[in-house]
Amino acid sequence: MEFLTEPTTITLFLGIIFFLLLYWHYTKDFDYWKKRGIPYVKPLVPVFGSSYQLLWKPSHEIDLERYRKLGPIYGQFDGNRPVLAIADLKLIREVLVKEFPSFMNRRVSYFVSGSGIVELMLFALQGDEWKRVRGILSPNFTTGKIKRMVSIIRECGQTMIENFKAAAKTKEPVEIKQIYGAFSMDVIASSAFSVKLDSYNNPKNEFVQSAKKAFSKEFSLKLALFQLFPRIAKLIGVQVLSYPSVCFYRKVILQMMEQRTNTKETRNDFLQLLMAAVKGSTEEQKEDLVNDKDDITANYGQDESTHKIIKNFSNKRLTLDSAVAQSVSFFFAGFDTIASTISFVSYSLALNPDIQNNVYEEIRKVLQKTEGKLTYEAIQEMKYLDNVLSESLRLYPVIPRLERMTEADCKLGDTGITIPKGMVVFIPTYALHHDPKYFPDPEKFDPDRFLPEVSAKRDPYAYLPFGSGPRLCIGMRFALTQIKTCLVCLLANFVILKCAETKVPLEFCLGPGLMIPKNLVLKYEERTEKIPVQ
């Protein structure tokens, strides 16, 4: 036994034991789906599980490939954790609506613990606290509030038009997401905090820099790290959202609150409502939430269980930290998603000039009736524009999958599958949107898919760009109004064209989370017959 006294031999022996234990830890559950008779993606690499393809392929393409190969229900492994994909429409309704109390929370809870203000943001909250805060925030997105915001969005759109005019004069291709990102930032700053920016011409502005840092190229890599190794990511203190960006917005928002308190100045914006919630809920909040039935239906659907949840929302006050967190989340939730969506619509119109011309003609006819006034009601009249936007969101859903995490052991419909507490299930939205069973010739850009008579024949759970059920995106209607206003201002003044630098098909950044296009380049020509927009 003399060899045991050799330090290098002992170290080697311990190293082998450690490696074997590590290997066992990462592979001990790899027969989980096989035991249950569920089709699954074999985990070829122990550390990565079934997620090894993320190293070279965008996540939405992986989901589509697996959905087509394995069907509407299949298992996979994120690292060593079993995860279930659900793409059966009846089961999607079970998860998002019918059994919502069991699937209320998101996986996001994995990567916000210990993240300070981030864990107070609405998208990260869980259970009753999520319901309570959602109820407080809902009055920001009533029809009346959105109508009052159209003039602010239109003003930001005019600033964007001037930036495109300058770009058009050079006759050079435009990296469009830069200009649309600036527009998105300007709208958020104006509508939420009454701060006027010209983000495109002032790229060094801290508002702009902080937003760009939050959604840098490392964003998806950080998400992937948390998805595969949540404990290690927490241990080494990785923050998905840029910590300096969060701190900057927190500091600015607190300064705004203090200034308004000292001067007793009030504004009709998101921040003012949150300040009221810090002091105590207002009668206006209560009245908006209870009486605006159209908004409840639009935001939460018509299922009775969802209505009960809304009615039971509590309008208690927010803490100061929670109010600041919701203000910061307003930036993060709306900045990149809006910019990307407008970019995708513009790209689709550039590749389909006939459709672009049809949208222009609709805009011209509606604005002729309103004498050039772009109001909320005028936007609602533009049905073809709505179809075009819906089709773009089908082809390019910015958030390509929905995720939920079980709160308790739950039987999944009549499948015989029991999902244990704490398991993540996901709905591959992008894959559903590209299934020819629901959308014939799915790669074709066809706005007529969303004509009322066509949509009525399609199961609503086949189209989920904003989710569904009580956890549907709270700012959906505001986002749609913002995007449509931008497109009206844009198409009234420009023809959007593809150019030699335009990539067909589009290429996307690697990693989970958002669909982020690479170098989306187009050309813009000023129209000879412009439509005046007021």
Side-chain angles (χ1 to χ4, degrees), residues 286-324:
K286 294 175 183 176
E287 185 177 346
D288 277 345
L289 193 61
V290 173
N291 294 334
D292 202 329
K293 295 180 181 178
D294 291 339
D295 288 346
I296 291 174
T297 300
N299 281 306
Y300 305 102
Q302 299 184 22
D303 191 275
E304 286 186 14
S305 62
T306 64
H307 282 207
K308 289 178 183 177
I309 290 171
I310 304 307
K311 289 178 181 178
N312 290 330
F313 276 174
S314 170
N315 248 340
K316 296 177 182 177
R317 58 186 293 182
L318 289 176
T319 65
L320 181 60
D321 279 347
S322 181
V324 171

Side-chain angles (χ1 to χ4, degrees), residues 255-272:
Q255 288 174 346
M256 289 180 183
M257 287 181 169
E258 183 178 10
Q259 181 181 7
R260 292 190 189 186
T261 300
N262 292 338
T263 62
K264 296 183 179 180
E265 179 186 18
T266 60
R267 302 284 183 89
N268 184 29
D269 58 18
F270 185 70
L271 183 62
Q272 198 68 46

Side-chain angles (χ1 to χ4, degrees), residues 143 146-147 149-151 153-154 183 187 338 374-377 379-380 385-386 389 466 475-488:
T143 301
I146 294 173
K147 283 182 179 180
M149 292 298 174
V150 170
S151 60
I153 302 170
R154 188 175 63 240
F183 163 79
V187 171
I338 295 295
L374 183 58
T375 61
Y376 179 83
E377 289 76 14
I379 293 170
Q380 302 312 303
L385 174 63
D386 185 74
L389 175 52
F466 292 94
M476 178 185 72
R477 292 191 305 141
F478 178 69
L480 292 174
T481 302
Q482 181 179 341
I483 294 165
K484 290 176 187 178
T485 304
C486 172
L487 291 170
V488 170

Side-chain angles (χ1 to χ4, degrees), residues 4 7-8 74 170 193 204 216 246 252 263 328 354 361 468 477:
L4 291 176
T8 54
Y74 63 88
T170 67
F193 309 106
K204 293 183 179 179
S216 64
V246 172
V252 169
T263 62
V328 175
D354 290 344
E361 287 300 319
S468 185
R477 292 191 305 141

